[in-house]
Amino acid sequence: MVASVALAPGAWLGCLGGGQLGRMFVHAAQAMGYKVLVLDPDGSGPAAQAADDIIVAAYDDEAAIAQFGSRVSAVTTEFENVPAATLELLAKHIPTRPSAHAVRIAQDRRKEKRFFSEHGLPVGAFAVIESDADIDRADSSLFPAILKTATLGYDGKGQARVANKVEAAEAFARFAKTPCVLEKLVAFDREISVLVARGANGETRVWPVQENQHVNGILDLTIVPARIDPALSARAQALATKLVRALDYVGVLCVEIFVAGEQLLLNEIAPRPHNSGHYTIEACVTSQFAQQVRALAGLPLGDPSLVQAAVMVNVLGDVWLDAAQVMQPAWADVLAIDGSHVHLYGKAEARRARKMGHVTCTATSLDAALAKAEAVKRHLRIA
Ligand code: AMP
């Protein structure tokens, strides 16, 4: 670990990854006077458009990574699958947040679940599946279940619902017998997530709990504050804080949690700002992106308090493809709603299920924010 010294505005920060999370990180960093160098294999993506400079290279291109590391004073990531080894290399020279350790755990569902279990963090019943024999051995009480590839799955990809061992074996074969976890299907009441930040000095700040609704495995709506018992929210926040301490984590992290009755079960972590935290830009004193800049630069963390209720609507490429006139979503109608905040990520091509932007609706009451979000969905023809 490199010693932590606060980086003054004007310093260059490095961002591995060029997607929308990187773009919003760049915006926050620039607002605070920092410059951002993005490294991404695509030179024209959302973050590249906003960055002060870009290196177009693969995440495992050692020469490019060395050049990148020599030009910045600290590094963060916005993409799940930056190789942990790349972060390890950079961490020899400059503060690298998230750490390779945290990323390695988040990139592999087997490691993630074992980490939860070992640290007394509640997790649903699961079995690691690395061979057909593991399926034979699995406890029958796990079914109905979801088989998930251990690595490289996201937004419901690399997942199959299975009713029994025969279906599990079929799905495992479809996944080319790549290592998987078999999770008991949780009959959850709600899905929530908690954003938490930990500073270089160990201080932690946690945002209010958000409630998430998914459609086809992709986040559709985030509702804040979550409509759960405040005591459950407080427990969820405490779990998130315990988690970042156990990981010795520095930066912003999001943990997804199932709420089943009084039970909270951790699903997965994202070692970075998260789609379900975009509402923090308008609704909180400090956004998740500004907080990531603070943590990366070794500065005091900001106040995560919620200023207004918020509902975020994710905007997928389907909105363009289903628009009344080709390429003309009804932005004027959306922007006519007071308290609607449109974010578009600058992606050149609208494709089905591709995250193109989001709209955050803020209001003094959650009911009012929900009504605005419903209106946004109507105008954008989101089912
Ligand atoms: P994940 O990629 O693990 O976040 O899963 C995507 C979505 O699938 C989650 O947000 C849930 O809606 C659903 N899901 C995942 N795992 C489970 C589970 N064990 N039980 C019930 N639903 C799940």
Side-chain angles (χ1 to χ4, degrees):
M1 264 263 295
V2 176
S4 179
V5 181
L7 301 172
W12 280 83
L13 305 177
C15 178
L16 289 164
Q20 60 267 19
L21 295 165
R23 179 185 180 93
M24 289 180 270
F25 170 80
V26 169
H27 289 156
Q30 289 173 340
M32 292 167 73
Y34 293 94
K35 295 190 183 303
V36 182
L37 176 64
V38 164
L39 184 142
D40 191 69
D42 171 5
S44 64
Q49 293 167 24
D52 293 281
D53 204 356
I54 165 141
I55 294 177
V56 181
Y59 300 119
D60 59 357
D61 177 337
E62 285 195 18
I65 295 294
Q67 192 206 359
F68 173 73
S70 71
R71 288 183 55 192
V72 298
S73 300
V75 172
T76 191
T77 62
E78 68 92 51
F79 173 63
E80 316 271 282
N81 291 315
V82 171
T86 296
L87 299 176
E88 226 147 47
L89 207 67
L90 287 163
K92 287 185 186 151
H93 308 287
I94 44 176
T96 302
R97 298 159 178 163
S99 65
H101 169 63
V103 165
R104 202 167 265 132
I105 290 172
Q107 283 175 348
D108 188 326
R109 292 185 191 274
R110 292 168 296 182
K111 293 195 173 92
E112 195 173 42
K113 288 186 188 302
R114 284 184 188 133
F115 183 86
F116 294 157
S117 305
E118 283 164 17
H119 290 85
L121 296 160
V123 59
F126 72 97
V128 170
I129 304 297
E130 290 165 342
S131 66
D132 288 316
D134 289 330
I135 297 177
D136 288 341
R137 272 195 294 269
D139 197 317
S140 302
S141 68
L142 283 176
F143 296 98
I146 304 191
L147 188 75
K148 300 180 180 176
T149 57
T151 60
L152 299 177
Y154 65 97
D155 286 343
K157 295 196 175 69
Q159 300 191 4
R161 293 196 174 211
V162 291
N164 49 47
K165 291 189 181 186
V166 173
E167 287 185 18
E170 284 166 4
F172 186 51
R174 272 204 309 284
F175 294 153
K177 303 201 179 186
T178 182
C180 287
V181 294
L182 183 68
E183 294 181 21
K184 185 176 174 65
L185 203 64
V186 177
F188 56 76
D189 305 313
R190 294 189 193 274
E191 290 187 78
I192 60 171
S193 57
V194 187
L195 276 172
V196 58
R198 186 161 173 272
N201 63 358
E203 76 170 309
T204 55
R205 303 301 294 264
V206 60
W207 279 266
V209 174
Q210 56 261 3
E211 175 182 340
N212 301 317
Q213 294 181 356
H214 295 83
V215 174
N216 299 326
I218 304 177
L219 186 64
D220 178 48
L221 274 191
T222 294
I223 299 164
V224 205
R227 295 166 296 180
I228 59 172
D229 180 346
L232 269 180
S233 280
R235 265 174 53 209
Q237 289 173 311
L239 288 173
T241 304
K242 181 174 174 178
L243 174 62
V244 284
R245 289 197 177 122
L247 275 174
D248 193 21
Y249 190 81
V250 179
V252 172
L253 176 145
C254 187
V255 53
E256 297 180 21
I257 301 175
F258 299 129
V259 181
E262 292 298 301
Q263 232 186 357
L264 296 174
L265 297 171
L266 272 59
N267 177 28
E268 61 178 4
I269 57 173
R272 52 171 173 73
H274 190 255
N275 193 171
S276 67
H278 292 350
Y279 76 91
T280 59
I281 296 174
E282 285 90 11
C284 293
V285 178
T286 307
S287 80
Q288 60 172 349
F289 301 105
Q291 199 79 299
Q292 184 75 344
V293 175
R294 285 169 180 250
L296 185 58
L299 295 167
L301 298 182
D303 175 5
S305 302
L306 190 69
V307 179
Q308 291 197 83
V311 178
M312 184 213 66
V313 180
N314 245 358
V315 179
L316 306 181
D318 306 58
V319 160
W320 278 257
L321 304 172
D322 297 339
Q325 298 159 274
V326 177
M327 297 305 288
Q328 291 297 334
W331 297 121
D333 294 335
V334 171
L335 287 162
I337 301 168
D338 280 349
S340 76
H341 308 271
V342 173
H343 294 254
L344 292 169
Y345 307 145
K347 295 185 184 177
E349 192 197 343
R351 294 198 292 266
R352 292 216 179 265
R354 188 180 201 196
K355 291 175 184 169
M356 301 295 287
H358 69 270
V359 181
T360 299
C361 298
T362 53
T364 49
S365 76
L366 186 53
D367 282 346
L370 279 164
K372 291 177 189 186
E374 278 311 311
V376 167
K377 291 184 89 169
R378 242 185 352 265
H379 290 312
L380 294 180
R381 298 165 175 254
I382 298 173

